[in-house]
Amino acid sequence: MNKKILWIISFALLFILWIKAGPFQSTEEDTTNDSATALNEESGEATANEKSYFKSHPISQKTPDFAAITDVKERKQAFFEFLTPFVNEKNTLILKDRERITGLLNSNKKLSSKNKKWISTLREDHKMSKLDNYTKDDLKALLRRVDIIPVSLVLAQAANESAWGTSRFATEGNNFFGQWCFRKGCGLVPGSRDEDADHEVRKFNDARESVFAYIDNLNTNAAYRTLRAAREELRQDKEIITGLALVHGLEFYSQRGQAYVEEIEGLINYNKLWRYNRVQPNQEPQ
């Protein structure tokens, strides 16, 4: 009888802890399922705004044939110079959104219908719930996701995931980050895929779309909330956001975990990729 009572009490305590840490917990930074299986999964289709942007800002630059560049140093330089403008382009758009959100945070005026609609769309794009009304805390929660990914981190992961632009997924699908999708025909079927698996490696129209989707993934997927928390802390301390500062938030990007993190860190250091990071403004709301 005593054992039964103890078992019931233990179960009740476990249930309470599960509620606090599990699916009933509702915080703005945890609106998507977080598990090791998320890893490198689908980051979602381009948003309506991104599709419109791609259409109105076409690119003419073709992806270089990196495999044909036999000199390693030359290949690396070509790889960095090809992808860096796309990262800067995406980060510039993000900073514009941050500036607008910051302006709304610092204003004492009530949100206009136009701004409320814009915030709702931006929250939806970042996998956050749309609300009837938004408080300052709601805007601050959005700001945690709407932020840059340093060029150094992007280049290191792209080099790792695409074998310096020579992988099949990069050459046939413009996919430089190994991003997945789950609709039949949405991408390329991995040769090593298990028989019971249904994922494919996404195909993009060009490398820029792959860069945008990768940054969107880090900014929205719950698996990378540690990365976003580290980035927010840097903002609050008015410090520069670097790849080395965020790299430890990539533990769930690969099944290799910490070994993968150390590999990306090594790529940043060995290639001195911090030299590609841009000067960052630090005008943030208190």
Side-chain angles (χ1 to χ4, degrees):
M1 186 68 176
N2 287 337
K3 288 184 177 180
K4 184 176 181 181
I5 292 174
L6 287 173
W7 183 88
I8 293 173
I9 293 172
S10 299
F11 179 81
L13 288 172
L14 287 172
F15 182 73
I16 292 171
L17 290 172
W18 178 73
I19 289 176
K20 288 183 177 181
F24 291 120
Q25 183 184 31
S26 179
T27 65
E28 289 298 348
E29 184 55 22
D30 304 321
T31 55
T32 54
N33 293 328
D34 185 12
S35 67
T37 59
L39 296 178
N40 192 14
E41 291 186 0
E42 184 172 17
S43 57
E45 295 293 332
T47 66
N49 284 334
E50 284 177 333
K51 290 178 181 178
S52 176
Y53 179 83
F54 294 148
K55 187 175 181 179
S56 61
H57 296 76
I59 60 174
S60 57
Q61 186 179 8
K62 293 184 179 180
T63 303
D65 183 357
F66 294 111
I69 306 175
T70 55
D71 182 82
V72 175
K73 186 175 180 180
E74 184 181 344
R75 179 191 295 173
K76 286 185 176 183
Q77 190 64 28
F79 185 82
F80 297 148
E81 291 180 354
F82 174 64
L83 289 181
T84 294
F86 301 142
V87 187
N88 287 333
E89 185 177 4
K90 175 64 171 175
N91 282 337
T92 296
L93 293 171
I94 289 173
L95 288 174
K96 287 182 179 179
D97 286 339
R98 281 187 68 83
E99 185 178 5
R100 184 171 174 182
I101 298 170
T102 300
L104 295 175
L105 266 170
N106 292 334
S107 173
N108 292 322
K109 295 181 180 179
K110 184 179 179 180
L111 282 180
S112 65
S113 298
K114 181 179 179 180
N115 283 328
K116 189 181 294 185
K117 182 178 180 181
W118 178 72
I119 289 294
S120 292
T121 300
L122 201 58
R123 284 173 63 91
E124 188 174 34
D125 290 345
H126 286 80
K127 294 181 169 55
M128 302 176 76
S129 57
K130 296 170 67 173
L131 305 173
D132 293 331
N133 294 291
Y134 298 107
T135 65
K136 297 285 187 181
D137 286 341
D138 294 327
L139 296 182
K140 288 179 181 179
L142 176 60
L143 205 59
R144 284 195 285 272
R145 296 196 179 199
V146 182
D147 206 344
I148 66 167
I149 299 297
V151 180
S152 56
L153 188 66
V154 182
L155 294 180
Q157 282 206 268
N160 181 282
E161 296 290 338
S162 72
W164 298 94
T166 65
S167 72
R168 171 190 167 216
F169 303 128
T171 57
E172 296 182 21
N174 291 307
N175 190 329
F176 285 77
F177 303 93
Q179 293 141 300
W180 291 3
C181 58
F182 296 90
R183 298 186 316 278
K184 188 173 183 180
C186 63
L188 302 169
V189 177
S192 58
R193 188 179 73 174
D194 294 338
E195 291 184 4
D196 59 344
D198 61 355
H199 72 275
E200 299 181 12
V201 178
R202 284 183 62 182
K203 290 183 68 174
F204 295 94
N205 293 318
D206 52 55
R208 179 178 65 174
E209 291 190 14
S210 177
V211 170
F212 275 46
Y214 156 82
I215 292 177
D216 287 341
N217 187 28
L218 294 192
N219 277 342
T220 59
N221 196 318
Y224 312 119
R225 63 173 165 226
T226 300
L227 181 149
R228 295 193 292 272
R231 182 176 61 188
E232 182 186 15
E233 186 174 346
L234 291 171
R235 285 289 189 193
Q236 292 174 346
D237 294 340
K238 298 189 181 301
E239 295 182 9
I240 300 297
I241 299 172
T242 67
L244 290 175
L246 301 189
V247 68
H248 296 283
L250 294 176
E251 184 180 359
F252 292 129
Y253 201 93
S254 166
Q255 292 178 340
R256 294 171 55 220
Q258 185 59 30
Y260 178 82
V261 169
E262 292 173 1
E263 192 168 308
I264 299 301
E265 189 174 28
L267 278 168
I268 294 174
N269 281 320
Y270 183 80
N271 295 283
K272 298 179 174 63
L273 293 181
W274 55 78
R275 57 198 163 103
Y276 290 97
N277 291 338
R278 296 168 64 184
V279 176
Q280 301 161 20
N282 280 307
Q283 298 175 353
E284 298 300 325
Q286 298 301 317

